[in-house]
Each structure stands twice: as structure tokens, then as C-alpha cells.
Amino acid sequence: MLILGLQGSPRKGGNTDTFLATFLDKAAHTGAAVKTIQVARAGIVPCKGCGYCETHGTCVIADDPMSTEIFGLMREADLVVAATPVFFYGISAQLKVLIDRCQTLWSRKYVYKLKDPLAATRKGMLFSVAASQGRQLFDGIHLTTKYFFDAINAQFSHALTYRGVESKGAIRQHEGLAADVDEAIQQTVLPLVKRKNVLFVSPTGACRAPMAAAIAQQRYGDCIRTGFGALRPASELSASMVRAMQRVGMDMGYRNPQNVEQALSGTTPNLAIAIGESVDKIPVPGIKTVQWSLPEPVLTDDAAMDRLRLEIEANADKLMQSFN
Ligand SMILES: Cc1cc2nc3c(=O)[nH]c(=O)nc-3n(C[C@H](O)[C@H](O)[C@H](O)COP(=O)(O)O)c2cc1C
């Protein structure tokens, strides 16, 4: 369970930064993993408006942090917190650069009609702060954030906006901030944290484990959070598995095989599922582990890949019956 904070102010230790750190610190105490992108210092290249993503499904700027890291984190995140000061009645230019690059995720959703496995449960939260008292101060920010969250498949769950906050750190004195943070944690974070964690492990993490994790996540994301790990991670997901998932509208983009330790990232799964390996090889001691003896996939055979997907769907349904 990951909360991704997008800190959109260029001012280090300013109000946006301070609020986000306070919120994420509290959220971490609930058991969530948290990660902050200091957007102003991330080196994100602005969108070129070239249309490449609409014809290729990926961004033409392939070597900046947006493509190499941040798209992946946005796919992994269960909650995305967009945090920005009001600059001329809009979001900061720095955060806007990141948002514009999400045209790639918009294209995957609306041009390619693909759904990422966390689409049904991912939440989006807005935090914003402004110096003056203007009635429409946050209108532009709300609109941009609404369409940003839609593109990244996040339901807009909560907005915390504060007027009359100008000097660095003044947000600390804002009455009601602690109560607002507690309420947001209760409403938005806790329902996501209390889901059961299920870890799928396969030898290379390129095909069966990511497929199973995505299918179980999509079907039962309101009660489980899945992850996948490998004993010896391959360098990328199997292209034929990715195509098999695309045939049923599922998006496996911006995901990579990872080892079991990375997959755990501080969380303790309630259940581990060993696919294609004997249970005793799974390095998660003390965790209940079951085996799914799914056949080694024939990567060149689309029909076999579709059968594997169906078998995993049936296994996921059985798994959930045993949970309930
Ligand atoms: C370039 C710029 C534009 C701003 N525009 C507005 C504005 O339109 N309305 C407003 O109330 N405050 C405006 N402010 C004030 C900031 O929103 C305010 O100081 C905020 O607390 C800064 O947050 P930070 O410390 O996270 O950067 C602006 C500040 C800057 C630097």
C-alpha cells in the first residue's frame, strides 16, 4: 500500500512541503509506505505535445525521471496526494509539468482503452494553500486536479485548501489542521491500509506472478492489496503476457519484475502464493504460503496465454472464497 505525495511548491520547507510531510508522517504510522516526489527538483521534462503517446502508448521522452520512475510510482500508488500552492489562481508551474506528462496515462486510458489494475480503488487527494482570501482561489486548481486524477485513474476523495497562509511555515499555525489531517487519514487512508496483503511469487516475476497480482487486484481490490515478487527477477515483463492482458483491456504498463524483498517494501503479507516453485523456496518466513501449480507458459502461444489468464481468474475467485 503506497501513498505518493507530489510536492508541487518550489519553496523548500514552505507550507505545501510542511503540510505534505505532516500528512505522510501520520499516514506512515498506519502502516502505509509513503514516498514524496519533490517535483520542482525532479528534473521532469515538459510535455512536447507531439502526440507520440496517442500512437505508441508511451512517452517519447523516455529517459527522464517521469518515464523511468514516476509513471511506475503512479501505477503502484493507492493514494496520490497532489500538493500545491496557489500561483496566480492555478497550480504551480512545477506540478503542471508533471501533470501534463500524464497525457501518456490519459492516452492509455482513453485512446488504448486500457485499465490499470488499481483503477477501481486508487484515490486522489488535493492539498492547496494560498495567501489571500479570494472566493474563487481554488477553482482552477480543483478543475485541473479533477482531470489529472481522472487521467491517472484516481477517485478524487478529499480536498484540503487553506486561505490566508503566506509566509514560510505559516500553515503550522492554521487552526484545525491537525483535525483535518486526522479526518483525511480516517476517511481515505485507513480503508486502503486495512485490506489484506497477498504476495504472488514466481521464478522470474515476468509472467505468472504479475498476471495473477493484477487479476486479483482488479477483481478484489476493495478487500486485498496484491504485490508480486521474483526469486530471480527478469529485466522486464513478458511481452506476450502484456498482450494477453491487453486483449481483456488490462494495462500492465510501467511495471517491472522485482525481487521478493523489494515487493515486500516494509509490509508483511497475510498470504504468499508460490507459482511454479515449491513453497519452501519462497523467502518469506513465517507467512502462510500456498502453491498454485500453474504450467510454465508458452510465450509464443497466444491461446495458451489466454488459457493461463482464465486459470488465474478461477484461482483468484477460489482464493477470495477462502478469505471470506
Ligand atoms: C508566483 C506566485 C504566485 C502567487 N499567486 C497567488 C495567488 O494568485 N493568490 C494567492 O492568494 N496567493 C498567491 N501566492 C502566495 C502563495 O500561494 C502562498 O504564499 C503560499 O503559502 C505559498 O506556499 P508554499 O510555501 O508551499 O510555496 C503566490 C505566490 C507566488 C510565489
Side-chain angles (χ1 to χ4, degrees), residues 1-3 23 30-32 77-80 118 120-124 155 157 184-197 217 221-226:
M1 150 73 191
L2 174 68
I3 304 179
F23 177 79
T30 68
D78 297 272
L79 169 62
V80 175
L118 276 92
T121 48
R122 183 177 297 114
K123 301 266 189 284
Q155 297 153 40
S157 74
I185 300 265
Q186 286 283 339
Q187 276 188 20
T188 303
V189 177
L190 288 180
L192 294 169
V193 169
K194 71 180 188 209
R195 295 172 299 176
K196 287 183 172 148
N197 282 303
Q217 188 66 50
D222 47 348
C223 33
I224 59 170
R225 176 63 166 97
T226 67

PDB file of all heavy atoms in Angstrom, residues 1-3 23 30-32 77-80 118 120-124 155 157 184-197 217 221-226:
ATOM      1  N   MET A   1       0.864  -1.192   0.000  1.00  0.00           N
ATOM      2  CA  MET A   1       0.000   0.000   0.000  1.00  0.00           C
ATOM      3  C   MET A   1       0.895   1.234   0.000  1.00  0.00           C
ATOM      4  O   MET A   1       1.619   1.485   0.953  1.00  0.00           O
ATOM      5  CB  MET A   1      -0.904  -0.083   1.239  1.00  0.00           C
ATOM      6  CG  MET A   1      -1.332   1.231   1.841  1.00  0.00           C
ATOM      7  SD  MET A   1      -2.561   2.061   0.827  1.00  0.00           S
ATOM      8  CE  MET A   1      -2.621   3.655   1.582  1.00  0.00           C
ATOM      9  N   LEU A   2       0.856   1.980  -1.102  1.00  0.00           N
ATOM     10  CA  LEU A   2       1.767   3.121  -1.267  1.00  0.00           C
ATOM     11  C   LEU A   2       0.987   4.432  -1.367  1.00  0.00           C
ATOM     12  O   LEU A   2       0.021   4.541  -2.123  1.00  0.00           O
ATOM     13  CB  LEU A   2       2.600   2.937  -2.543  1.00  0.00           C
ATOM     14  CG  LEU A   2       3.497   4.121  -2.927  1.00  0.00           C
ATOM     15  CD1 LEU A   2       4.634   4.312  -1.920  1.00  0.00           C
ATOM     16  CD2 LEU A   2       4.065   3.932  -4.329  1.00  0.00           C
ATOM     17  N   ILE A   3       1.448   5.433  -0.612  1.00  0.00           N
ATOM     18  CA  ILE A   3       0.925   6.791  -0.778  1.00  0.00           C
ATOM     19  C   ILE A   3       2.012   7.609  -1.452  1.00  0.00           C
ATOM     20  O   ILE A   3       3.149   7.674  -0.960  1.00  0.00           O
ATOM     21  CB  ILE A   3       0.548   7.426   0.567  1.00  0.00           C
ATOM     22  CG1 ILE A   3      -0.452   6.542   1.313  1.00  0.00           C
ATOM     23  CG2 ILE A   3      -0.035   8.823   0.342  1.00  0.00           C
ATOM     24  CD1 ILE A   3      -0.871   7.090   2.668  1.00  0.00           C
ATOM     25  N   PHE A  23       1.268  15.167   6.820  1.00  0.00           N
ATOM     26  CA  PHE A  23       0.260  14.177   6.425  1.00  0.00           C
ATOM     27  C   PHE A  23       0.896  12.796   6.207  1.00  0.00           C
ATOM     28  O   PHE A  23       0.404  11.785   6.712  1.00  0.00           O
ATOM     29  CB  PHE A  23      -0.448  14.644   5.145  1.00  0.00           C
ATOM     30  CG  PHE A  23      -1.437  13.644   4.636  1.00  0.00           C
ATOM     31  CD1 PHE A  23      -2.689  13.531   5.218  1.00  0.00           C
ATOM     32  CD2 PHE A  23      -1.111  12.790   3.590  1.00  0.00           C
ATOM     33  CE1 PHE A  23      -3.609  12.587   4.771  1.00  0.00           C
ATOM     34  CE2 PHE A  23      -2.012  11.844   3.131  1.00  0.00           C
ATOM     35  CZ  PHE A  23      -3.264  11.746   3.725  1.00  0.00           C
ATOM     36  N   THR A  30       0.119   4.462  10.095  1.00  0.00           N
ATOM     37  CA  THR A  30      -0.977   3.498   9.921  1.00  0.00           C
ATOM     38  C   THR A  30      -0.478   2.224   9.245  1.00  0.00           C
ATOM     39  O   THR A  30      -1.231   1.267   9.076  1.00  0.00           O
ATOM     40  CB  THR A  30      -2.120   4.077   9.054  1.00  0.00           C
ATOM     41  OG1 THR A  30      -1.624   4.226   7.704  1.00  0.00           O
ATOM     42  CG2 THR A  30      -2.605   5.416   9.564  1.00  0.00           C
ATOM     43  N   GLY A  31       0.773   2.242   8.784  1.00  0.00           N
ATOM     44  CA  GLY A  31       1.328   1.062   8.117  1.00  0.00           C
ATOM     45  C   GLY A  31       1.503   1.246   6.618  1.00  0.00           C
ATOM     46  O   GLY A  31       1.985   0.343   5.931  1.00  0.00           O
ATOM     47  N   ALA A  32       1.144   2.416   6.098  1.00  0.00           N
ATOM     48  CA  ALA A  32       1.306   2.653   4.653  1.00  0.00           C
ATOM     49  C   ALA A  32       2.767   2.972   4.337  1.00  0.00           C
ATOM     50  O   ALA A  32       3.460   3.587   5.153  1.00  0.00           O
ATOM     51  CB  ALA A  32       0.432   3.832   4.234  1.00  0.00           C
ATOM     52  N   ALA A  77       0.876   3.435  -6.839  1.00  0.00           N
ATOM     53  CA  ALA A  77       0.271   4.167  -5.721  1.00  0.00           C
ATOM     54  C   ALA A  77      -1.210   3.831  -5.539  1.00  0.00           C
ATOM     55  O   ALA A  77      -1.977   3.758  -6.494  1.00  0.00           O
ATOM     56  CB  ALA A  77       0.423   5.663  -5.942  1.00  0.00           C
ATOM     57  N   ASP A  78      -1.599   3.680  -4.261  1.00  0.00           N
ATOM     58  CA  ASP A  78      -3.013   3.505  -3.897  1.00  0.00           C
ATOM     59  C   ASP A  78      -3.655   4.851  -3.618  1.00  0.00           C
ATOM     60  O   ASP A  78      -4.870   4.993  -3.695  1.00  0.00           O
ATOM     61  CB  ASP A  78      -3.111   2.647  -2.628  1.00  0.00           C
ATOM     62  CG  ASP A  78      -2.554   1.269  -2.856  1.00  0.00           C
ATOM     63  OD1 ASP A  78      -3.294   0.386  -3.292  1.00  0.00           O
ATOM     64  OD2 ASP A  78      -1.336   1.077  -2.644  1.00  0.00           O
ATOM     65  N   LEU A  79      -2.822   5.808  -3.233  1.00  0.00           N
ATOM     66  CA  LEU A  79      -3.307   7.163  -2.982  1.00  0.00           C
ATOM     67  C   LEU A  79      -2.260   8.132  -3.521  1.00  0.00           C
ATOM     68  O   LEU A  79      -1.075   7.995  -3.215  1.00  0.00           O
ATOM     69  CB  LEU A  79      -3.506   7.381  -1.468  1.00  0.00           C
ATOM     70  CG  LEU A  79      -3.756   8.816  -1.004  1.00  0.00           C
ATOM     71  CD1 LEU A  79      -5.047   9.387  -1.589  1.00  0.00           C
ATOM     72  CD2 LEU A  79      -3.834   8.888   0.534  1.00  0.00           C
ATOM     73  N   VAL A  80      -2.719   9.083  -4.337  1.00  0.00           N
ATOM     74  CA  VAL A  80      -1.826  10.125  -4.850  1.00  0.00           C
ATOM     75  C   VAL A  80      -2.266  11.447  -4.217  1.00  0.00           C
ATOM     76  O   VAL A  80      -3.439  11.818  -4.300  1.00  0.00           O
ATOM     77  CB  VAL A  80      -1.895  10.220  -6.393  1.00  0.00           C
ATOM     78  CG1 VAL A  80      -1.055  11.388  -6.899  1.00  0.00           C
ATOM     79  CG2 VAL A  80      -1.423   8.908  -7.024  1.00  0.00           C
ATOM     80  N   LEU A 118      -5.225  -1.095 -10.509  1.00  0.00           N
ATOM     81  CA  LEU A 118      -5.665  -0.403  -9.297  1.00  0.00           C
ATOM     82  C   LEU A 118      -6.735   0.650  -9.575  1.00  0.00           C
ATOM     83  O   LEU A 118      -7.115   1.412  -8.682  1.00  0.00           O
ATOM     84  CB  LEU A 118      -4.463   0.263  -8.600  1.00  0.00           C
ATOM     85  CG  LEU A 118      -3.669  -0.653  -7.686  1.00  0.00           C
ATOM     86  CD1 LEU A 118      -2.528  -1.304  -8.434  1.00  0.00           C
ATOM     87  CD2 LEU A 118      -3.141   0.083  -6.488  1.00  0.00           C
ATOM     88  N   ALA A 120      -9.877   0.766  -9.868  1.00  0.00           N
ATOM     89  CA  ALA A 120     -11.139   0.825  -9.124  1.00  0.00           C
ATOM     90  C   ALA A 120     -10.954   1.341  -7.706  1.00  0.00           C
ATOM     91  O   ALA A 120     -11.916   1.784  -7.075  1.00  0.00           O
ATOM     92  CB  ALA A 120     -11.779  -0.557  -9.090  1.00  0.00           C
ATOM     93  N   THR A 121      -9.738   1.287  -7.187  1.00  0.00           N
ATOM     94  CA  THR A 121      -9.570   1.609  -5.762  1.00  0.00           C
ATOM     95  C   THR A 121      -8.625   2.768  -5.494  1.00  0.00           C
ATOM     96  O   THR A 121      -8.572   3.268  -4.371  1.00  0.00           O
ATOM     97  CB  THR A 121      -9.037   0.375  -4.994  1.00  0.00           C
ATOM     98  OG1 THR A 121      -7.921  -0.166  -5.719  1.00  0.00           O
ATOM     99  CG2 THR A 121     -10.113  -0.670  -4.842  1.00  0.00           C
ATOM    100  N   ARG A 122      -7.866   3.206  -6.503  1.00  0.00           N
ATOM    101  CA  ARG A 122      -6.905   4.293  -6.254  1.00  0.00           C
ATOM    102  C   ARG A 122      -7.656   5.583  -5.902  1.00  0.00           C
ATOM    103  O   ARG A 122      -8.684   5.898  -6.483  1.00  0.00           O
ATOM    104  CB  ARG A 122      -6.027   4.514  -7.478  1.00  0.00           C
ATOM    105  CG  ARG A 122      -4.965   5.590  -7.229  1.00  0.00           C
ATOM    106  CD  ARG A 122      -4.032   5.771  -8.414  1.00  0.00           C
ATOM    107  NE  ARG A 122      -3.270   4.583  -8.693  1.00  0.00           N
ATOM    108  CZ  ARG A 122      -3.386   3.852  -9.800  1.00  0.00           C
ATOM    109  NH1 ARG A 122      -4.223   4.207 -10.749  1.00  0.00           N
ATOM    110  NH2 ARG A 122      -2.658   2.768  -9.961  1.00  0.00           N
ATOM    111  N   LYS A 123      -7.101   6.299  -4.929  1.00  0.00           N
ATOM    112  CA  LYS A 123      -7.720   7.556  -4.501  1.00  0.00           C
ATOM    113  C   LYS A 123      -6.772   8.717  -4.806  1.00  0.00           C
ATOM    114  O   LYS A 123      -5.555   8.538  -4.884  1.00  0.00           O
ATOM    115  CB  LYS A 123      -7.982   7.537  -2.992  1.00  0.00           C
ATOM    116  CG  LYS A 123      -8.889   6.414  -2.539  1.00  0.00           C
ATOM    117  CD  LYS A 123     -10.310   6.890  -2.485  1.00  0.00           C
ATOM    118  CE  LYS A 123     -11.254   5.906  -1.837  1.00  0.00           C
ATOM    119  NZ  LYS A 123     -11.582   4.783  -2.699  1.00  0.00           N
ATOM    120  N   GLY A 124      -7.359   9.915  -4.936  1.00  0.00           N
ATOM    121  CA  GLY A 124      -6.571  11.115  -5.126  1.00  0.00           C
ATOM    122  C   GLY A 124      -6.981  12.153  -4.103  1.00  0.00           C
ATOM    123  O   GLY A 124      -8.170  12.308  -3.804  1.00  0.00           O
ATOM    124  N   GLN A 155      -9.788   8.180  -7.866  1.00  0.00           N
ATOM    125  CA  GLN A 155     -11.038   8.868  -7.496  1.00  0.00           C
ATOM    126  C   GLN A 155     -10.716  10.008  -6.550  1.00  0.00           C
ATOM    127  O   GLN A 155     -10.038   9.800  -5.537  1.00  0.00           O
ATOM    128  CB  GLN A 155     -11.980   7.914  -6.773  1.00  0.00           C
ATOM    129  CG  GLN A 155     -12.456   6.740  -7.594  1.00  0.00           C
ATOM    130  CD  GLN A 155     -12.802   5.563  -6.685  1.00  0.00           C
ATOM    131  OE1 GLN A 155     -13.381   5.731  -5.626  1.00  0.00           O
ATOM    132  NE2 GLN A 155     -12.412   4.366  -7.123  1.00  0.00           N
ATOM    133  N   SER A 157     -10.882  11.971  -3.667  1.00  0.00           N
ATOM    134  CA  SER A 157     -11.545  11.613  -2.410  1.00  0.00           C
ATOM    135  C   SER A 157     -11.622  12.760  -1.425  1.00  0.00           C
ATOM    136  O   SER A 157     -12.511  12.781  -0.572  1.00  0.00           O
ATOM    137  CB  SER A 157     -10.813  10.449  -1.749  1.00  0.00           C
ATOM    138  OG  SER A 157      -9.602  10.896  -1.198  1.00  0.00           O
ATOM    139  N   ALA A 184      -8.763  13.097   7.212  1.00  0.00           N
ATOM    140  CA  ALA A 184      -8.363  12.560   5.898  1.00  0.00           C
ATOM    141  C   ALA A 184      -7.760  11.162   6.034  1.00  0.00           C
ATOM    142  O   ALA A 184      -7.991  10.279   5.201  1.00  0.00           O
ATOM    143  CB  ALA A 184      -7.366  13.509   5.234  1.00  0.00           C
ATOM    144  N   ILE A 185      -6.999  10.964   7.109  1.00  0.00           N
ATOM    145  CA  ILE A 185      -6.409   9.637   7.344  1.00  0.00           C
ATOM    146  C   ILE A 185      -7.529   8.616   7.576  1.00  0.00           C
ATOM    147  O   ILE A 185      -7.532   7.529   6.995  1.00  0.00           O
ATOM    148  CB  ILE A 185      -5.453   9.676   8.569  1.00  0.00           C
ATOM    149  CG1 ILE A 185      -4.324  10.671   8.333  1.00  0.00           C
ATOM    150  CG2 ILE A 185      -4.978   8.275   8.951  1.00  0.00           C
ATOM    151  CD1 ILE A 185      -3.042  10.177   7.803  1.00  0.00           C
ATOM    152  N   GLN A 186      -8.478   9.009   8.408  1.00  0.00           N
ATOM    153  CA  GLN A 186      -9.600   8.101   8.720  1.00  0.00           C
ATOM    154  C   GLN A 186     -10.374   7.743   7.455  1.00  0.00           C
ATOM    155  O   GLN A 186     -10.638   6.582   7.190  1.00  0.00           O
ATOM    156  CB  GLN A 186     -10.592   8.793   9.674  1.00  0.00           C
ATOM    157  CG  GLN A 186     -10.137   8.932  11.103  1.00  0.00           C
ATOM    158  CD  GLN A 186     -10.262   7.622  11.860  1.00  0.00           C
ATOM    159  OE1 GLN A 186     -11.019   6.757  11.450  1.00  0.00           O
ATOM    160  NE2 GLN A 186      -9.482   7.469  12.912  1.00  0.00           N
ATOM    161  N   GLN A 187     -10.722   8.779   6.700  1.00  0.00           N
ATOM    162  CA  GLN A 187     -11.622   8.567   5.554  1.00  0.00           C
ATOM    163  C   GLN A 187     -10.933   7.932   4.358  1.00  0.00           C
ATOM    164  O   GLN A 187     -11.504   7.102   3.669  1.00  0.00           O
ATOM    165  CB  GLN A 187     -12.181   9.919   5.095  1.00  0.00           C
ATOM    166  CG  GLN A 187     -13.379  10.359   5.874  1.00  0.00           C
ATOM    167  CD  GLN A 187     -13.981  11.614   5.231  1.00  0.00           C
ATOM    168  OE1 GLN A 187     -13.748  11.919   4.066  1.00  0.00           O
ATOM    169  NE2 GLN A 187     -14.757  12.332   6.007  1.00  0.00           N
ATOM    170  N   THR A 188      -9.702   8.355   4.105  1.00  0.00           N
ATOM    171  CA  THR A 188      -9.076   7.967   2.843  1.00  0.00           C
ATOM    172  C   THR A 188      -7.997   6.912   3.005  1.00  0.00           C
ATOM    173  O   THR A 188      -7.897   5.998   2.193  1.00  0.00           O
ATOM    174  CB  THR A 188      -8.497   9.231   2.151  1.00  0.00           C
ATOM    175  OG1 THR A 188      -9.558  10.162   1.974  1.00  0.00           O
ATOM    176  CG2 THR A 188      -7.899   8.908   0.804  1.00  0.00           C
ATOM    177  N   VAL A 189      -7.188   7.034   4.067  1.00  0.00           N
ATOM    178  CA  VAL A 189      -6.040   6.130   4.186  1.00  0.00           C
ATOM    179  C   VAL A 189      -6.424   4.790   4.835  1.00  0.00           C
ATOM    180  O   VAL A 189      -6.097   3.717   4.308  1.00  0.00           O
ATOM    181  CB  VAL A 189      -4.892   6.807   4.975  1.00  0.00           C
ATOM    182  CG1 VAL A 189      -3.727   5.847   5.173  1.00  0.00           C
ATOM    183  CG2 VAL A 189      -4.429   8.068   4.251  1.00  0.00           C
ATOM    184  N   LEU A 190      -7.144   4.863   5.959  1.00  0.00           N
ATOM    185  CA  LEU A 190      -7.391   3.624   6.704  1.00  0.00           C
ATOM    186  C   LEU A 190      -8.120   2.544   5.905  1.00  0.00           C
ATOM    187  O   LEU A 190      -7.743   1.369   5.953  1.00  0.00           O
ATOM    188  CB  LEU A 190      -8.121   3.915   8.026  1.00  0.00           C
ATOM    189  CG  LEU A 190      -7.246   4.592   9.092  1.00  0.00           C
ATOM    190  CD1 LEU A 190      -8.039   4.835  10.374  1.00  0.00           C
ATOM    191  CD2 LEU A 190      -5.993   3.785   9.397  1.00  0.00           C
ATOM    192  N   PRO A 191      -9.158   2.889   5.123  1.00  0.00           N
ATOM    193  CA  PRO A 191      -9.822   1.819   4.358  1.00  0.00           C
ATOM    194  C   PRO A 191      -8.870   1.128   3.382  1.00  0.00           C
ATOM    195  O   PRO A 191      -9.020  -0.069   3.104  1.00  0.00           O
ATOM    196  CB  PRO A 191     -10.927   2.561   3.592  1.00  0.00           C
ATOM    197  CG  PRO A 191     -11.148   3.822   4.351  1.00  0.00           C
ATOM    198  CD  PRO A 191      -9.836   4.184   4.952  1.00  0.00           C
ATOM    199  N   LEU A 192      -7.868   1.863   2.896  1.00  0.00           N
ATOM    200  CA  LEU A 192      -6.909   1.245   1.968  1.00  0.00           C
ATOM    201  C   LEU A 192      -5.901   0.386   2.723  1.00  0.00           C
ATOM    202  O   LEU A 192      -5.526  -0.699   2.274  1.00  0.00           O
ATOM    203  CB  LEU A 192      -6.163   2.340   1.179  1.00  0.00           C
ATOM    204  CG  LEU A 192      -7.021   3.170   0.223  1.00  0.00           C
ATOM    205  CD1 LEU A 192      -6.251   4.380  -0.290  1.00  0.00           C
ATOM    206  CD2 LEU A 192      -7.488   2.313  -0.962  1.00  0.00           C
ATOM    207  N   VAL A 193      -5.483   0.863   3.903  1.00  0.00           N
ATOM    208  CA  VAL A 193      -4.461   0.142   4.673  1.00  0.00           C
ATOM    209  C   VAL A 193      -5.006  -1.166   5.235  1.00  0.00           C
ATOM    210  O   VAL A 193      -4.277  -2.145   5.337  1.00  0.00           O
ATOM    211  CB  VAL A 193      -3.945   1.038   5.837  1.00  0.00           C
ATOM    212  CG1 VAL A 193      -3.089   0.244   6.808  1.00  0.00           C
ATOM    213  CG2 VAL A 193      -3.139   2.200   5.281  1.00  0.00           C
ATOM    214  N   LYS A 194      -6.290  -1.175   5.581  1.00  0.00           N
ATOM    215  CA  LYS A 194      -6.762  -2.370   6.293  1.00  0.00           C
ATOM    216  C   LYS A 194      -7.068  -3.572   5.382  1.00  0.00           C
ATOM    217  O   LYS A 194      -7.431  -4.638   5.864  1.00  0.00           O
ATOM    218  CB  LYS A 194      -7.917  -2.033   7.227  1.00  0.00           C
ATOM    219  CG  LYS A 194      -9.206  -1.694   6.580  1.00  0.00           C
ATOM    220  CD  LYS A 194     -10.224  -1.390   7.664  1.00  0.00           C
ATOM    221  CE  LYS A 194     -11.582  -1.228   7.036  1.00  0.00           C
ATOM    222  NZ  LYS A 194     -12.452  -0.353   7.739  1.00  0.00           N
ATOM    223  N   ARG A 195      -6.850  -3.417   4.086  1.00  0.00           N
ATOM    224  CA  ARG A 195      -7.024  -4.576   3.205  1.00  0.00           C
ATOM    225  C   ARG A 195      -5.932  -5.624   3.477  1.00  0.00           C
ATOM    226  O   ARG A 195      -4.847  -5.282   3.940  1.00  0.00           O
ATOM    227  CB  ARG A 195      -6.940  -4.140   1.734  1.00  0.00           C
ATOM    228  CG  ARG A 195      -8.062  -3.212   1.317  1.00  0.00           C
ATOM    229  CD  ARG A 195      -7.823  -2.656  -0.067  1.00  0.00           C
ATOM    230  NE  ARG A 195      -6.601  -1.882  -0.137  1.00  0.00           N
ATOM    231  CZ  ARG A 195      -6.105  -1.348  -1.259  1.00  0.00           C
ATOM    232  NH1 ARG A 195      -6.717  -1.541  -2.404  1.00  0.00           N
ATOM    233  NH2 ARG A 195      -5.002  -0.646  -1.232  1.00  0.00           N
ATOM    234  N   LYS A 196      -6.244  -6.878   3.152  1.00  0.00           N
ATOM    235  CA  LYS A 196      -5.241  -7.937   3.353  1.00  0.00           C
ATOM    236  C   LYS A 196      -4.198  -7.888   2.240  1.00  0.00           C
ATOM    237  O   LYS A 196      -4.528  -7.624   1.084  1.00  0.00           O
ATOM    238  CB  LYS A 196      -5.924  -9.294   3.366  1.00  0.00           C
ATOM    239  CG  LYS A 196      -6.700  -9.512   4.651  1.00  0.00           C
ATOM    240  CD  LYS A 196      -7.321 -10.879   4.697  1.00  0.00           C
ATOM    241  CE  LYS A 196      -7.926 -11.126   6.068  1.00  0.00           C
ATOM    242  NZ  LYS A 196      -9.091 -11.975   6.026  1.00  0.00           N
ATOM    243  N   ASN A 197      -2.960  -8.170   2.611  1.00  0.00           N
ATOM    244  CA  ASN A 197      -1.870  -8.168   1.623  1.00  0.00           C
ATOM    245  C   ASN A 197      -1.606  -9.567   1.106  1.00  0.00           C
ATOM    246  O   ASN A 197      -1.409 -10.496   1.893  1.00  0.00           O
ATOM    247  CB  ASN A 197      -0.582  -7.652   2.267  1.00  0.00           C
ATOM    248  CG  ASN A 197      -0.595  -6.155   2.386  1.00  0.00           C
ATOM    249  OD1 ASN A 197      -0.743  -5.458   1.389  1.00  0.00           O
ATOM    250  ND2 ASN A 197      -0.493  -5.655   3.601  1.00  0.00           N
ATOM    251  N   GLN A 217      -6.007  -8.157  -8.061  1.00  0.00           N
ATOM    252  CA  GLN A 217      -6.182  -6.758  -7.646  1.00  0.00           C
ATOM    253  C   GLN A 217      -7.418  -6.157  -8.303  1.00  0.00           C
ATOM    254  O   GLN A 217      -8.228  -5.493  -7.663  1.00  0.00           O
ATOM    255  CB  GLN A 217      -4.930  -5.942  -8.026  1.00  0.00           C
ATOM    256  CG  GLN A 217      -4.928  -4.537  -7.477  1.00  0.00           C
ATOM    257  CD  GLN A 217      -4.842  -4.537  -5.951  1.00  0.00           C
ATOM    258  OE1 GLN A 217      -3.983  -5.203  -5.387  1.00  0.00           O
ATOM    259  NE2 GLN A 217      -5.734  -3.834  -5.296  1.00  0.00           N
ATOM    260  N   GLY A 221      -9.931  -5.734  -5.378  1.00  0.00           N
ATOM    261  CA  GLY A 221      -9.123  -4.646  -4.822  1.00  0.00           C
ATOM    262  C   GLY A 221      -9.719  -3.967  -3.610  1.00  0.00           C
ATOM    263  O   GLY A 221      -9.011  -3.303  -2.859  1.00  0.00           O
ATOM    264  N   ASP A 222     -11.044  -4.104  -3.404  1.00  0.00           N
ATOM    265  CA  ASP A 222     -11.605  -3.460  -2.220  1.00  0.00           C
ATOM    266  C   ASP A 222     -11.263  -4.220  -0.937  1.00  0.00           C
ATOM    267  O   ASP A 222     -11.301  -3.661   0.142  1.00  0.00           O
ATOM    268  CB  ASP A 222     -13.135  -3.281  -2.355  1.00  0.00           C
ATOM    269  CG  ASP A 222     -13.807  -4.554  -2.836  1.00  0.00           C
ATOM    270  OD1 ASP A 222     -13.081  -5.477  -3.280  1.00  0.00           O
ATOM    271  OD2 ASP A 222     -15.044  -4.632  -2.753  1.00  0.00           O
ATOM    272  N   CYS A 223     -10.891  -5.505  -1.033  1.00  0.00           N
ATOM    273  CA  CYS A 223     -10.500  -6.191   0.210  1.00  0.00           C
ATOM    274  C   CYS A 223      -9.066  -6.719   0.216  1.00  0.00           C
ATOM    275  O   CYS A 223      -8.581  -7.098   1.283  1.00  0.00           O
ATOM    276  CB  CYS A 223     -11.480  -7.285   0.597  1.00  0.00           C
ATOM    277  SG  CYS A 223     -12.252  -8.140  -0.720  1.00  0.00           S
ATOM    278  N   ILE A 224      -8.388  -6.747  -0.927  1.00  0.00           N
ATOM    279  CA  ILE A 224      -6.983  -7.167  -0.875  1.00  0.00           C
ATOM    280  C   ILE A 224      -6.092  -6.184  -1.639  1.00  0.00           C
ATOM    281  O   ILE A 224      -6.542  -5.476  -2.546  1.00  0.00           O
ATOM    282  CB  ILE A 224      -6.743  -8.595  -1.443  1.00  0.00           C
ATOM    283  CG1 ILE A 224      -7.189  -8.683  -2.907  1.00  0.00           C
ATOM    284  CG2 ILE A 224      -7.399  -9.655  -0.605  1.00  0.00           C
ATOM    285  CD1 ILE A 224      -6.753  -9.973  -3.597  1.00  0.00           C
ATOM    286  N   ARG A 225      -4.824  -6.178  -1.245  1.00  0.00           N
ATOM    287  CA  ARG A 225      -3.812  -5.416  -1.976  1.00  0.00           C
ATOM    288  C   ARG A 225      -2.755  -6.428  -2.375  1.00  0.00           C
ATOM    289  O   ARG A 225      -2.169  -7.100  -1.512  1.00  0.00           O
ATOM    290  CB  ARG A 225      -3.216  -4.333  -1.074  1.00  0.00           C
ATOM    291  CG  ARG A 225      -2.083  -3.543  -1.711  1.00  0.00           C
ATOM    292  CD  ARG A 225      -2.589  -2.781  -2.941  1.00  0.00           C
ATOM    293  NE  ARG A 225      -1.653  -1.773  -3.388  1.00  0.00           N
ATOM    294  CZ  ARG A 225      -0.768  -1.962  -4.368  1.00  0.00           C
ATOM    295  NH1 ARG A 225      -0.683  -3.125  -4.987  1.00  0.00           N
ATOM    296  NH2 ARG A 225       0.026  -0.977  -4.719  1.00  0.00           N
ATOM    297  N   THR A 226      -2.536  -6.578  -3.646  1.00  0.00           N
ATOM    298  CA  THR A 226      -1.606  -7.600  -4.096  1.00  0.00           C
ATOM    299  C   THR A 226      -0.258  -6.995  -4.477  1.00  0.00           C
ATOM    300  O   THR A 226      -0.149  -5.809  -4.780  1.00  0.00           O
ATOM    301  CB  THR A 226      -2.150  -8.342  -5.338  1.00  0.00           C
ATOM    302  OG1 THR A 226      -2.200  -7.431  -6.438  1.00  0.00           O
ATOM    303  CG2 THR A 226      -3.536  -8.915  -5.091  1.00  0.00           C
TER     304      THR A 226
END
